[in-house]
Amino acid sequence: MPKQIKPKIKKTKEVPKDNSTKKIKIKIIGLGGGGGNIIKELSKKLDFSSNKIDFTAVNTDVQALETLPNNLKKVSFGEGETKGLGTGRDVALGHRVAESEEKKIKNIFSDQKDLYILVASLGGGTGTGAIPVFSKVAKELNLTTLGIFTLPFSFEGKDRMREAQKAIEEAQASLNAVLILPNEKIFKFVKDDIPFNSALDIINDQLAKSIQGLLSTVYSSGLINIDWADIKATIEGVNQRAYLNTVQVKLTDDLSLFTKDLLSNELIEYNFQKSINVLFNIEGGKNLSMKQLAFISEKIHELAPEARIIFGLTQNPKLKNEIRATVLATGTVKKEEKIAPPKKEKPVLKKEKVVTPKKKPKEVISKVEEELKELEELGVEINRRNAVEIKKAEEEAIKKENEEEDIFEIPAFLRKKK
Ligand SMILES: Nc1nc2c(ncn2[C@@H]2O[C@H](COP(=O)(O)OP(=O)(O)OP(=O)(O)O)[C@@H](O)[C@H]2O)c(=O)[nH]1
Ligand SMILES: [Mg+2]
């Protein structure tokens, strides 16, 4: 039996205005061909408008950059040596040209964002060669960084894998946290005769969904907000292994299965189990209830009993009868133990009371308060806003939702553009 250590409970505190998550600025840098593909996928998915996210694709291959959409910034480097044609899988060349372009790299990092996410598919020459250099420069500039890397398929050969592992080792020493997805793991889900590009599309899609969930956690205002200090605390440190996953289901789906999916993403190199820092956010429409939060919290506590758990709760009017949960965990362990299959538990979702904030905001707030207390008793760390802030956020959400509903009561051809 693991030791049951109750996570420390944070006392109610007011979120400082100038430190709110809404102001966080993030830059996502896709390095090499695969890195560019992944950030392209992600930029298509963002379901909220945010000018706070900057997408930048960096490559030695000019043609590959040209195929990317124009909402991504594009930076070519090493053109002198590669003639803009890529490195042809030459890692030493990728490394060399990155070193010779240090000025350009510093310039990419000069825009004072709060968080820089570096994304690359390792196994080629550009991403694999350049990522240690980008990471080193970021560290010299004292930036907060998260590296997200895929590893090559085994059929690409042992040398590719060795080069990729070496690049990660070097980069890790300079990055705060690193998330790794071995491409090979896709064969747990698809037949091995799947076309190469389709396999990549599935991996990119899954990865983009998880990053999207993380960004949504950062930018959506919630009944319970995760603030920048919480995110920073989860990522900070050096060489932290990270687990990130997002799962979206219908409210009527089995909650224990949902939790299992959320906490055991087979595509990720590291397990969620025994994580040290856990940050999770639940988004839902009107029917969002604290019971789902309590259920997931308990499971998290069971699998990572010593973790410091921070959660957020967000209303997203676009999620009508669905909930979406995102987990970011660090200090996780390498996959060796399997997560035990969940016990047969009654799905909690079906019978629960429906929260109707539109009509009775005060009741909802007191209900939230009541359930927050229950959660605190369970030992979950709650970063609360004070009652005034919760009420304000609630009223704003209701106002927005009412406005949206009003618009849709007007026939489409009569609707005026605002
Ligand atoms: N998940 C994923 N992996 C990819 C993708 N494209 C390529 N890969 C993998 O990443 C490795 C490196 O490919 P690229 O990213 O194209 O290489 P590069 O960094 O541009 O380097 P060069 O083209 O050799 O200069 C490949 O061996 C594949 O295993 C992609 O879109 N998604
Ligand atoms: Mg390339």
Side-chain angles (χ1 to χ4, degrees):
M1 275 284 285
K3 243 193 325 175
Q4 290 287 312
I5 297 179
K6 277 197 168 190
K8 283 180 208 120
I9 298 171
K10 256 198 208 171
K11 294 278 169 273
T12 307
K13 67 167 188 190
E14 208 170 320
V15 179
K17 294 277 175 290
D18 60 349
N19 197 22
S20 82
T21 45
K22 294 229 152 206
K23 289 189 181 157
I24 297 173
K25 294 200 182 86
I26 297 180
K27 186 165 198 166
I28 306 182
I29 302 165
L31 261 172
N37 293 343
I38 293 165
I39 68 163
K40 170 180 144 193
E41 198 51 45
L42 175 61
S43 73
K44 284 197 289 189
K45 280 194 194 320
L46 293 186
D47 57 356
F48 51 93
S49 61
S50 173
N51 51 13
K52 299 184 187 78
I53 305 171
D54 178 311
F55 292 96
T56 302
V58 187
N59 208 337
T60 56
D61 182 340
V62 174
Q63 214 181 340
L65 284 175
E66 276 167 6
T67 63
L68 295 172
N70 289 329
N71 59 336
L72 312 182
K73 285 186 195 149
K74 304 170 192 184
V75 179
S76 74
F77 75 109
E79 270 184 70
E81 272 201 73
T82 67
K83 313 247 174 330
L85 297 171
T87 69
R89 299 206 146 203
D90 185 339
V91 181
L93 177 58
H95 197 269
R96 199 164 63 238
V97 295
E99 280 190 321
S100 69
E101 294 272 30
E102 202 172 310
K103 230 177 165 180
K104 216 176 227 178
I105 300 173
K106 278 194 172 140
N107 194 35
I108 293 172
F109 287 131
S110 69
D111 45 6
Q112 304 191 344
K113 305 286 184 193
D114 298 291
L115 172 66
Y116 290 84
I117 302 180
L118 298 172
V119 186
S121 287
L122 304 181
T126 301
T128 317
I131 203 69
V133 183
F134 274 71
S135 307
K136 190 176 119 260
V137 173
K139 178 151 197 234
E140 282 164 8
L141 297 171
N142 204 18
L143 307 174
T144 304
T145 48
L146 168 67
I148 299 183
F149 308 126
T150 67
L151 293 176
F153 292 98
S154 2
F155 63 75
E156 294 182 86
K158 285 196 175 137
D159 285 351
R160 301 255 148 257
M161 186 59 87
R162 225 174 281 128
E163 304 259 34
Q165 298 282 14
K166 191 164 158 261
I168 289 182
E169 248 166 65
E170 273 183 60
Q172 255 176 343
S174 303
L175 297 169
N176 291 127
V178 175
L179 178 77
I180 297 168
L181 281 92
N183 276 344
E184 187 69 20
K185 301 236 168 153
I186 194 65
F187 297 121
K188 286 184 181 238
F189 305 96
V190 299
K191 295 211 174 106
D192 55 11
D193 59 356
I194 185 175
F196 186 61
N197 280 339
S198 311
L200 293 183
D201 286 347
I202 298 171
I203 300 166
N204 296 358
D205 179 66
Q206 164 65 33
L207 186 50
K209 272 189 191 144
S210 296
I211 306 174
Q212 175 197 20
L214 180 65
L215 296 175
S216 188
T217 298
V218 173
Y219 290 113
S220 314
S221 60
L223 289 171
I224 302 163
N225 252 359
I226 286 176
D227 66 31
W228 172 231
D230 295 327
I231 297 168
K232 210 170 168 201
T234 307
I235 292 171
E236 261 184 355
V238 177
N239 199 354
Q240 292 234 56
R241 293 156 160 189
Y243 174 95
L244 174 69
N245 197 21
T246 293
V247 175
Q248 185 169 331
V249 290
K250 290 214 166 61
L251 272 170
T252 47
D253 287 354
D254 182 343
L255 198 57
S256 52
L257 199 64
F258 170 63
T259 315
K260 183 178 175 267
D261 285 349
L262 182 67
L263 303 178
S264 59
N265 185 340
E266 294 276 349
L267 284 175
I268 295 176
E269 178 82 334
Y270 303 127
N271 265 337
F272 168 80
Q273 278 170 317
K274 298 181 187 157
S275 313
I276 300 301
N277 294 298
V278 177
L279 193 138
F280 81 100
N281 190 47
I282 300 188
E283 295 167 79
K286 281 186 198 172
N287 300 342
L288 190 63
S289 139
M290 301 296 283
K291 286 209 174 126
Q292 294 127 18
L293 197 61
F295 187 92
I296 299 173
S297 303
E298 274 176 50
K299 265 281 171 295
I300 288 177
H301 188 52
E302 218 175 285
L303 294 175
E306 299 193 22
R308 175 177 171 269
I309 304 167
I310 295 171
F311 76 85
L313 186 66
T314 309
Q315 277 198 331
N316 178 347
K318 284 189 183 138
L319 296 171
K320 294 270 183 239
N321 287 309
E322 288 180 306
I323 52 169
R324 178 162 71 189
T326 298
V327 168
L328 171 68
T330 54
T332 63
V333 291
K334 203 164 178 158
K335 284 228 157 82
E336 50 220 1
E337 313 156 34
K338 284 262 168 268
I339 293 180
K343 283 177 244 150
K344 288 247 173 208
E345 275 156 290
K346 279 191 216 151
V348 194
L349 287 173
K350 287 175 190 162
K351 286 179 193 163
E352 73 196 34
K353 284 181 208 156
V354 170
V355 173
T356 50
K358 187 179 171 187
K359 286 170 196 130
K360 298 172 183 171
K362 274 183 195 151
E363 265 177 37
V364 174
I365 292 160
S366 58
K367 175 96 184 118
V368 168
E369 279 296 313
E370 209 177 278
E371 282 171 329
L372 278 176
K373 272 193 204 123
E374 275 174 32
L375 276 173
E376 281 184 331
E377 275 157 27
L378 276 171
V380 174
E381 181 171 331
I382 299 173
N383 178 13
R384 296 210 216 176
R385 291 182 292 169
N386 64 30
V388 178
E389 282 177 306
I390 292 177
K391 189 170 185 299
K392 210 172 146 216
E394 181 70 21
E395 280 167 0
E396 269 166 22
I398 294 160
K399 200 173 142 213
K400 203 169 154 209
E401 230 175 286
N402 289 345
E403 275 170 10
E404 275 176 22
E405 279 172 13
D406 290 347
I407 288 173
F408 287 99
E409 273 158 23
I410 305 170
F413 64 94
L414 289 177
R415 268 178 230 151
K416 274 191 201 150
K417 271 192 185 163
K418 284 204 173 177

